[in-house]
Amino acid sequence: MKALSSTLPILPILVLLSISLVSAYDQIDLAKFSRCLTTHSDSSVPIADAIFTQRDVSFQHFYQLRANNLRTLAAAVNSKPVAIITAKHPSHAQAAVVCAKRHGLQLRIRSGGHDYEGLSYTSNVSFVILDMFNLSSIDIDMGTETAWVQAGATTGELYYKIAEKSKLHGFPAGVCTTLGIGGHFSGGGYGFLMRKYGLTIDNVIDAQLIDANGRIHNRRSMGEDVFWAIRGGGTTSFGIILSWRVKLVPVPPKVTVFTVQRTLEQGATELAYRWQKVAPKLPKNLFLRLQAVPVNNGGNNKTISVSFFAHFLGKTDKLIRLMNKKFPELGLSRDDCFEMSWVESILYWAGFPNGTSIDVLLNRVQTSRVYYKTKSDYYKTVIPKKGLKTLWATIMDIEDVSVQLNPYGGRMEEISDKETAFAHRAGNLFKVQYTVHWKESDGGIYEADRFVKLSRMLYRAMTPYASSNPREAFINYRDLDVGTNKNSTDFEITKVYGAKYFGKNFKRITAVKAMIDPGNFFKNEQSIPPLPTPPLH
């Protein structure tokens, strides 16, 4: 039995449930599977110590360690992988492909474990998890202002490594610092630099991809069609990302951030209405997010707190002049603003107290986890005040919810929707994330159905105002409600969620899938199917 390398508390809900060995587990000859992995791996880096089965005492630890949504983790208690391969060498990932295929196992690839529906670590068929977390090297070349980043590294580690090399460079990626690079980049990747520099994928210049035959490709050998598809198309439909090569972007020595909060009684509705018209048209170097949460002051005394979070690539004086001109209604003051380095602003946006050491960016695992259900929307027109009041009333009814509105405009309008597989470009005012969340003390998995229904209620309430035909969604905010193929290959079914996630790019994405993985080895409940071959007449 392998010993734990570190400790992690077992979830209360999992303590009550036995760690059952699924029937598929008994049907797999694990000895033969392990020998296959050894045969196809580099002998200089033994894979034996990287394989964990349900008989290993540390299996549960590694299964839970990077499973960030307690809802999907607890719901999957009776559907565990027959093995977890914690790859320590690229050949381990190659062997996982070859041997999973040979033994009839599905392969799920996990980097940071932030898949909102847990598809990187759950399945309804026999499967193994390929955990990329140990493949986490970051090689920064300031001569070319580029970096190679392995899939298992986190966004926090990337930001830290950039700051070690330069105070005048940054990179446009997510606010959460424990996101795995492999998955975060492939779905688009966005953060507060998106209006200035676009998405993460708009700054990717090369990649290493393992195909369904276990071969490693770079941009040249995979071809431009595949390179196009893995930037925004969700890489796990096409292969396994080993690493991305990215170009770093310039940032000033000091940036400015602020957070201004207003309640309904302080005019939040009028400000939110005005924000929709202002935020997408601000200069590119200013990103102004709106977040709404319910506040219960006791009894029936409920209200809404609307927060305006800003990130400005410049100093306070210039920002205040800009805000006084573009959004004077907010009443921004100097006392609201904080100047800091770009890497310090990452900590601010991630919710760390001012003065926190940037060493916190090296914490690789998310420790504060909850149960949640997230949904997304794109808005092409302003939500009228009537719609905002509907939004406020609904989230006050739910209580355990937050709603984020992230502005578009700027660089996002300049990049064609055909440039990469990511189709949500010009024409959008903002993207919205609705998250209903709860804790073990709120009922945990036993109350999941109720909270999920509340999230759907909120989503329905905003139907008249969101994009339509199709109602678009963000692939990195995975949501099985927008459609699922249930692990099948029915092309007509996948068109439903394909149109919402990828718009008019969906057909081209499926054509690329047919090129790189015609046998559909890489699949999940929302994967891309190969474009069907037209019948001969």
Side-chain angles (χ1 to χ4, degrees), residues 1 45 61-62 71 108 119 161 167 193 217 225 238 278 316 328 358 372 390 435 448 533:
M1 297 250 181
V45 186
H61 166 77
F62 283 111
R71 174 178 65 87
R108 295 296 170 103
L119 301 190
K161 294 294 185 181
K167 306 303 180 187
L193 292 181
H217 296 277
D225 286 325
F238 307 99
V278 171
T316 301
I358 67 167
Y372 65 88
T390 296
T435 301
T533 302

Side-chain angles (χ1 to χ4, degrees), residues 392-413:
W392 307 152
T394 307
I395 65 177
M396 279 191 285
D397 285 343
I398 296 174
E399 293 190 341
D400 299 296
V401 61
S402 66
V403 178
Q404 280 185 0
L405 284 69
N406 295 285
Y408 258 51
R411 182 70 178 135
M412 292 299 293
E413 289 200 343

Side-chain angles (χ1 to χ4, degrees), residues 110-178:
R110 181 169 71 178
S111 297
H114 285 263
D115 187 308
Y116 283 5
E117 295 285 9
L119 301 190
S120 64
Y121 52 88
T122 64
S123 178
N124 59 8
V125 299
S126 302
F127 76 111
V128 294
I129 292 175
L130 174 61
D131 195 311
M132 305 294 286
F133 207 58
N134 291 321
L135 297 174
S136 59
S137 70
I138 299 172
D139 182 13
I140 295 177
D141 182 348
M142 291 311 303
T144 59
E145 298 181 303
T146 64
W148 274 105
V149 190
Q150 284 192 311
T154 64
T155 48
E157 289 177 302
L158 176 57
Y159 301 147
Y160 184 91
K161 294 294 185 181
I162 293 173
E164 274 190 325
K165 297 283 188 178
S166 170
K167 306 303 180 187
L168 299 176
H169 289 82
F171 188 71
V175 170
C176 177
T177 60
T178 58

Side-chain angles (χ1 to χ4, degrees), residues 236-303:
T236 53
S237 289
F238 307 99
I240 301 166
I241 281 290
L242 279 177
S243 60
W244 299 98
R245 189 184 185 206
V246 301
K247 58 182 180 181
L248 308 182
V249 301
V251 295
K254 292 292 181 181
V255 303
T256 304
V257 297
F258 71 72
T259 302
V260 172
Q261 296 177 319
R262 298 287 185 266
T263 64
L264 297 184
E265 294 73 20
Q266 295 170 322
T269 300
E270 185 64 40
L271 289 173
Y273 179 73
R274 177 74 178 141
W275 173 91
Q276 298 176 81
K277 297 182 176 183
V278 171
K281 296 181 180 180
L282 289 169
K284 293 180 185 178
N285 56 359
L286 176 56
F287 182 87
L288 184 60
R289 168 186 284 176
L290 185 155
Q291 179 170 303
V293 297
V295 177
N296 191 335
N297 296 317
N300 294 320
N301 187 16
K302 298 180 181 179
T303 188

